[in-house]
Structures are given as C-alpha cells and as structure tokens.
C-alpha cells in the first residue's frame, strides 16, 4: 500500500514516472519532454486560439520520451526533486503549497497559541479599551454623555440569553410569508372577486415626494425622491440644509419656495413602500390583486401632504383630478367606487358660489361613491402634532436611548424639527379639534383611567425650574401653568411665527359647532371641511361608512413640559430671487437661509420649550413616563379621536349626519408577535395595521361588494368616553 507524505521517513524516496501529454490524455502531471528536431514544412498557422494550442500539444507529444524523477525528504522535513540530466534536478520544493497542505496536522502547543496573533490581537484591543476608560475623566463629560454612560449594562446575565430560547415559536411565525394569503383565503371561503373599483388615498407623510426643480440649487435632486426611499436618507446625511430648504413650503405663499419644485409621486408605487422593505399600502394592494384588481380597477390618489387642502387644489388641481378619476372608474367598471379618503365635502361645493369646490352638487356622492373606508383616521386630531409644532418633539424622540437622543439633537435639533413641521401646512390638519368638550378640563378627561391620580384634561403641565421631578414635590405650587386644550392651542400658536398663525387662520378651524343652521353655512366654508365637528356629511343615504382602527397600544395623550429662557425668533420667509440660491452648506457664502440680522431694540419674543423627560411617576394613573402621559389608542392616535365621531357624532341621523348614512365601526386589539418587526398578522399599530389580517379582510370584503359581512366590533372603552363628552 502506498504511504502518505506524513508517513514518510527522512531517507524515503518516491519514484515518479512522467508520461508525455497527448490530446487524448488531459490529466497531465508534469510537462517535461525531450523532442527530436526534424525539419518540418511550415503551414500557415490556424486562426483559432483553441486549434493552435491543440496543434502545439500534438507536435510536442509525437516524439516525447518518458522521464523518471524522485522526491527526497530532507533533514528539515522539506522535499527536493531528483531528476539527473534535466533542468529540474535538485529543485527545492519547500515553498510549494502542495507540500504544505499537511502542516495543520502538527500539534500546536499552548506556547505557540499564547504568543500567536490570535491571542495578542484581541488581548491588545481589550487592554487598550481598559486603559482608555481608566485614563478618561468621566466627570468632565457633558451631562447628556454621562446619561449615556450610566445606561450601559454593568454585566451580561447568561440567564437572559437562556430565557430567549422560549421565543422559537414566535420566530417561526415571524418568518412566515403572509403575502397574498388574506385574499386567497377569502376567495376560497366566500368566492370573493373584484366588484367595486377602489381608490386608496394615503395619510399624512405616506406619499413619496420627488424633485422637479431645474434651478441650479435643485438640479442635483432632479427626479429623485426627497421623501421616501433611501435617496432621502442620503440627501439628509450629505446636505441637510439643502434638503430642509427643498422640503419646506414657503410660509408666505403656502406653495413652492423659490428655486425648488417638489411634487407627489404618482401611481400605486407612490405609497406602497416608504423605504425599500418598509411597506405601507403594499399588503392591501397585493391582497386586492388576488381578487382580480389591477390598475383599471384600483388606484392610489397620492398627493403632496405638505400643502393645505386649498393650495392642494390651487397648485395641483388635486381634487378636480380625483373627481374625474372617480367618474371614469365608475363608468369603466360599471360600479360605484369605494374610497379611502379624508373629506367628501369639496366635491359637492359650487366653485362659482363659494369660490372653491368641485361643482359636483349634492347628488354627486350618492351617484358615484359606494363606501367610504376610514382607516385609522385622525378625526379629532393627534396629541403629538401639538408638541411637534411647539417644540419639535414627541414620544418617539424623548424615549430614545440617551445615545440616540444625543445624536439626534446634535444632527437635527428640536428647534430645526419644529421649524420644519411648521413649514408643512398640510400637517396642521392633525391639530386637535373640539377643545375641552371632547378632551376634558382641569378636573377630568373622558378617557381618564379609573381611580386617576392625574388627568389628561391638563394637556400641558409645566414644572417650575429647580423643582424636583419626584411625585411628592409636584404640587399646584410647583407646577404651573396647567393648560387644558382650550388654553394649549392658543399657547402653541403664540409661540409660532406670525406666518404660521396666518396660515392656520386661513385654512383650518378646530372648534365645535352644534347649531344646525351654522353647520349648513359651513358647507360653503372650506376652512371647516377638515373638521368633522364643524361640517355635515354629504346627502348620500345609500353610501356606507366603515371606521376601522386599532386600540390597546399605549399612545401619548398629554404632557409634562418645561419652559426655558426667551430667545430671538430667527424664523423668516424664504429669500426671494437670487438670495434664495445662497448655498448655506458652503461657509464661504456667508448665509444660512434661516436667520436675519437683528435690529436695535428687537426684543426676544420666542421661548424655549421641551418635554420634561425627567418626570416619570411610577404607579400613576394615567401612566407618566419621560414626561409623557399615556392613554389608549393605536400608538399614534388616541381612541377618543379615532372613534368619537363614528360612534356618536355620525351614529344615526344627527346634526353632522343629516342623511343618516350607516356607519359601521370595527376596533382591532393590538396583539403583536414579539419577533415580527412589523407586529405580525394581529397588529393594530397605526401604520402596521395596513398589513394586518383583520383590516385586509374587511377592506377586501367591502371592495368585493360584501360589506354586509362587516359588523360592529368594539373592544375599547370608547362608549364610556363619549358619554363623558359634551355633544350639546
């Protein structure tokens, strides 16, 4: 039996017989031959490379002789080649990789490991980190960096890791592919198919925005999405100031700022995904497609959500085009349209009489719309919209890990965020509506928990500077002012620039109207149309309304705040003409497009505000954490806002629903799967619910003409809440 190289002794030799290569023997080992030189008649070389190589090998092989060589193992364990009479004699083979492949069989000692690179490199890194921590004076760190340090874990408990082994089943569910499954199951169970054409209208910030500006300042962004997709992230990281300038609306005109032109993306892709992999409407589109829907029967009416509704029609003719789209889809499909939208009042209004409207008349909705599906609509507003306008904050920012909060503040400060929110007039539609009637007073709020120790009615509570955040020190002497919503709204407005106040006044109304005659007059006032408490539903008795939303997820409801010193308000209008093209990213230009020179006796009128994240009261009712008081909702919108109009204001024939349009409400309990980043099939989160099975099931049944299968389903305490509201 032949021996392996590792079994050879030092005096061992191996005889090797090398045969010449032939065209029929491709397994050549060594190409060493001796040929006889005989004169040949040269023929023109073949043109192909493959043929030339074949001819050369055949020519060398004709007169080749056999060659015997030997491998000899030297004293040092290496090998040399013995081939007397050839150029290969005495060649040292110690550097050949072929003869080193068995080196790993040598047993390494602990000394070779200890003094090897695999030990010294990680040991050096650990030692360096330890020395750095020992040398750094932690007392000299900024206060926010100290907070980061104190939150780092002191030790890693292996029991925590073992406990996570119990989530294997959750991991399996999280990895299951649920694409198209809702539609397929409904087709199998009920035989559903395409019936009503459907138009999806995204919510605030859902639609992608792309640049169409060709001025020098905007040309690098041309046809790129500055909101949505990874392009937005690159734009923010590489040129934040230019990105903010492009996404801002001119505060004086309410339209495009000079030098920039941003428009909403169009089609189903406009809001199917926000960033690749983070779906929004994609799951609903997929499931509708299983019923037979396509672009002839399904569309996405995307819009520039930054604009106020009036300017959305003025600049983009959005509502006019939406009206025509509905009419075309109804004629083409032979059925009324199912619509997920914000308002139907515009289309009825006579533009000649009221100066604004679609001119459809009172019968238009009845003739063209089968159903209005209100998915997690911000009916009475959103709490965190108020804090965004006041200080550029919300629960998402104050509950960040201190490291993340520090980075966010350094890169995109509260002041910058507040300024940008105020430059988006469309987002003001989320301003809280109805005042104390709907949201409570100093004594109580409709959605206060049982045995409450505090109340959501005090929407803003300001802790005095120097007062401890401990519960026993928070008294009426150390906490003031306490503002209800009636007081908080004007307070926020007085701490915003005058142009924002003018925009608010000319486009929105946030009050309550119970007088029937005044409600009729409001039909002709476009500033009322985004507030369901001040406008009537259309005269469309055969239309149906479905309110579908989530509950059971803690949602920010009211806040603790701090007031800082007064400061100059640097907000101003966008520059005009050539001044608008001053590139603030280049320091040599001497501009920042955000500040103006101060004048003598120009007193500071603005004031710093921030959510008082130091206040966290354990065991309080409602729960208080990081300066935020929590209530029930879908993680973004409180239940009071989601359900009050559906179950009270529009329920039956009322002042706000004179035609008695039937309204069906379904609440979905938030039941997320722990390992699914988007919550899984039973989530009720404000955005993730668009991929949840119950919501997709309801929308598909309605679109397929089986809205009769949708019945009322209430799980929250919304009926208790609306009894405590003042509707008279």
């Amino acid at each position: 039996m032949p021996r392996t190289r590792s079994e050879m002794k030092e005096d061992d030799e191996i005889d090797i017989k090398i045969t010449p290569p032939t065209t029929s023997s491709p397994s050549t080992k060594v190409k060493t031959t001796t040929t006889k030189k005989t004169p040949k008649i040269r023929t023109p070389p073949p043109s192909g490379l493959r043929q030339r190589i074949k001819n050369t090998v055949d020519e060398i092989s004709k007169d080749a002789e056999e060659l015997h060589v030997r491998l000899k193992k030297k004293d040092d364990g290496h090998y040399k080649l013995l081939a007397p009479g050839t150029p290969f004699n005495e060649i040292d083979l110690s550097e050949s990789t072929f003869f080193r492949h068995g080196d790993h069989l040598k047993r390494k000692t602990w000394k070779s490991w200890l003094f090897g690179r695999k030990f010294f490199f990680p040991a050096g890194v650990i030692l360096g980190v330890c020395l750095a921590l020992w040398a750094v004076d932690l007392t000299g760190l900024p206060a926010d960096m100290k907070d980061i340090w104190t939150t780092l874990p002191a030790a890693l408990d292996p029991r925590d890791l073992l406990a996570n082994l119990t989530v294997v089943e959750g991991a399996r569910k999280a990895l299951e592919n649920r694409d198209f499954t809702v539609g397929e199951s409904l087709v199998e169970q009920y035989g559903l198919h395409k019936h009503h054409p459907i138009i999806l209208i995204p919510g605030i910030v859902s639609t992608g925005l792309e640049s169409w500006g060709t001025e020098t300042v905007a040309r690098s962004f041309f046809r790129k999405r500055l909101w949505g997709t990874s392009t937005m992230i690159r734009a923010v990281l590489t040129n934040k100031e230019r990105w903010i300038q492009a996404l801002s609306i001119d505060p004086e005109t309410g339209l495009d700022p000079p030098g920039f032109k941003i428009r909403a993306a169009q089609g189903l892709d406009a809001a199917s995904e926000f960033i690749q992999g983070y779906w929004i409407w994609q799951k609903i589109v997929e499931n509708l497609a299983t019923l037979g829907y396509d672009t002839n029967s399904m569309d996405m009416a995307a819009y520039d959500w930054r604009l106020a509704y009036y300017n959305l029609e003025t600049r983009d003719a959005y509502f006019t085009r939406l009206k025509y789209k509905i009419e075309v889809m109804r004629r083409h499909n032979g059925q009324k349209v199912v619509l997920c939208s914000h308002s139907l009042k515009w289309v009825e209004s006579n533009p000649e009489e009221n100066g604004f409207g679609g001119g459809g008349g009172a019968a238009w909705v009845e003739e063209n719309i089968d159903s209005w599906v209100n998915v997690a609509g911000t009916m009475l507003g959103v709490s965190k919209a108020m804090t965004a306008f006041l200080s550029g904050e919300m629960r998402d920012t104050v509950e960040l890990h201190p490291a993340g909060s520090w980075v966010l503040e350094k890169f995109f400060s509260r002041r910058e965020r507040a300024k940008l929110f105020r430059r988006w007039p469309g987002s003001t539609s989320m301003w809280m509506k109805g005042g104390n009637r709907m949201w409570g007073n100093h004594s109580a709020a409709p959605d206060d928990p049982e045995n409450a120790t505090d109340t959501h009615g005090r929407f803003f509570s300001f802790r005095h500077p120097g007062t401890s955040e401990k519960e026993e020190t928070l008294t009426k002497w150390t906490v003031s002012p306490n503002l209800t919503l009636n007081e908080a709204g004007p307070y926020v407005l007085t701490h915003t620039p005058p142009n924002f106040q003018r925009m608010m006044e000319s486009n929105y109304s946030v009050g309550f109207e119970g007088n029937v005659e005044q409600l009729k007059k409001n039909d002709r006032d476009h500033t009322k149309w985004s507030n369901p408490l001040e406008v009537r539903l259309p005269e469309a008795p055969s239309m149906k309304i479905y309110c579908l939303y989530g509950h059971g997820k803690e949602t920010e409801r009211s806040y603790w705040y701090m007031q800082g010193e007064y400061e100059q308000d640097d907000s101003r209008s966008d520059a005009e003409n050539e001044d608008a093209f001053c590139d603030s990213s280049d320091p040599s230009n001497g501009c920042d497009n955000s500040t103006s020179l101060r004048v003598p006796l120009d007193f500071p009128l603005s004031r710093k505000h921030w959510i008082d994240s130091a206040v966290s009261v354990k065991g309080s009712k409602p729960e208080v954490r990081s300066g935020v008081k929590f209530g029930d909702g879908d993680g973004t919108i409180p239940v009071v806002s989601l359900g009050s109009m559906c179950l009270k204001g529009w329920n039956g024939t009322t002042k706000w629903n004179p035609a008695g349009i039937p309204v069906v409400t379904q609440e979905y309990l938030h039941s997320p799967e722990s390992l699914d980043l988007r919550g899984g099939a039973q989530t009720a989160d404000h955005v993730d619910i668009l991929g949840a099975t119950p919501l997709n099931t309801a929308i598909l049944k309605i679109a397929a003409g089986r809205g009769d299968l949708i019945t009322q389903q209430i799980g929250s305490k919304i009926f208790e809440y609306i009894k405590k509201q003042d509707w008279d």
Side-chain angles (χ1 to χ4, degrees), residues 14 19 100 126 128 145 171 224 264 285 304 341 411 441 487 519:
I14 302 176
T19 58
R100 295 202 305 267
I126 295 173
M145 290 302 293
K224 295 179 180 178
V285 172
D304 188 344
S341 73
F411 181 73
N441 52 39
E487 301 156 340
L519 283 170

Side-chain angles (χ1 to χ4, degrees), residues 75-312:
D75 294 339
D76 58 3
H78 295 149
Y79 293 86
K80 66 179 179 178
L81 184 67
L82 301 178
T86 70
F88 306 107
N89 191 36
E90 300 289 336
I91 290 180
D92 187 2
L93 300 177
S94 60
E95 297 301 321
S96 172
T97 57
F98 175 78
F99 291 96
R100 295 202 305 267
H101 76 278
D103 289 346
H104 66 280
L105 299 176
K106 297 180 181 179
R107 186 174 182 180
K108 294 185 178 181
T109 64
W110 67 271
K111 291 183 178 180
S112 62
W113 176 83
L114 180 62
F115 294 101
R117 287 180 297 176
K118 292 184 178 180
F119 170 79
F120 269 105
F121 181 75
V125 171
I126 295 173
L127 179 61
V129 171
C130 294
L131 290 175
L133 295 176
W134 174 75
V136 172
D137 181 11
L138 298 178
T139 60
L141 289 175
D144 44 12
M145 290 302 293
K146 288 181 182 178
D147 293 338
I148 298 173
W149 177 256
T150 57
T151 59
L152 294 177
L156 180 62
D157 190 346
R159 290 172 295 182
D160 294 336
L161 300 177
L162 293 175
N164 288 332
L165 296 178
T166 62
V167 300
V168 174
E169 178 63 18
R172 183 189 64 79
K173 291 182 179 180
L175 293 175
E176 288 180 350
N177 189 330
R178 296 185 292 108
D179 294 347
F180 308 101
T181 55
V182 175
E184 290 172 345
S185 64
L186 290 177
V187 170
E188 181 179 353
Q189 183 177 1
Y190 296 103
L192 298 187
H193 56 82
K194 178 190 70 175
H195 188 71
H196 293 290
I198 185 169
I199 296 178
L200 310 173
I201 300 184
I204 297 292
V205 311
S206 297
T207 298
L209 303 176
E210 59 187 31
S211 175
W212 281 86
T214 58
E215 300 286 352
T216 303
V217 71
R219 191 166 295 174
S220 62
F221 294 147
F222 185 73
R223 291 303 311 279
K224 295 179 180 178
R225 285 202 186 181
L226 297 186
W227 186 265
T229 77
S230 57
T231 304
M232 174 188 71
I233 299 176
R234 289 196 299 268
V236 173
L237 294 177
T238 58
N239 198 335
K240 183 187 69 173
E241 296 297 331
R242 180 72 57 80
W243 178 82
I244 292 175
Q245 191 179 10
L247 264 293
S248 297
I249 291 295
D250 188 295
E252 297 295 337
T253 66
L255 301 172
D256 296 307
F260 294 94
K261 183 188 290 185
I262 304 296
R263 296 294 181 266
Q266 297 299 311
L268 292 173
D269 290 338
S272 291
E273 291 185 330
F274 184 67
I275 295 176
Q276 186 174 6
Y278 187 89
W279 47 261
I280 303 179
W281 289 88
Q282 180 64 28
K283 302 302 179 183
I284 292 176
V285 172
E286 290 173 354
N287 285 305
L288 284 169
T290 63
L291 270 60
Y293 283 87
D294 54 30
T295 53
N296 292 323
S297 50
M298 170 175 54
D299 202 358
M300 183 83 70
Y303 62 99
D304 188 344
W305 44 266
R306 302 173 304 150
L307 297 176
Y309 294 144
Y310 187 91
N311 285 333
L312 194 57

Side-chain angles (χ1 to χ4, degrees), residues 41-49 51-53 55-56:
I41 299 175
R42 296 246 177 215
T43 59
S47 58
L49 177 61
Q51 186 61 38
R52 291 203 303 271
I53 294 175
N55 291 349
T56 301

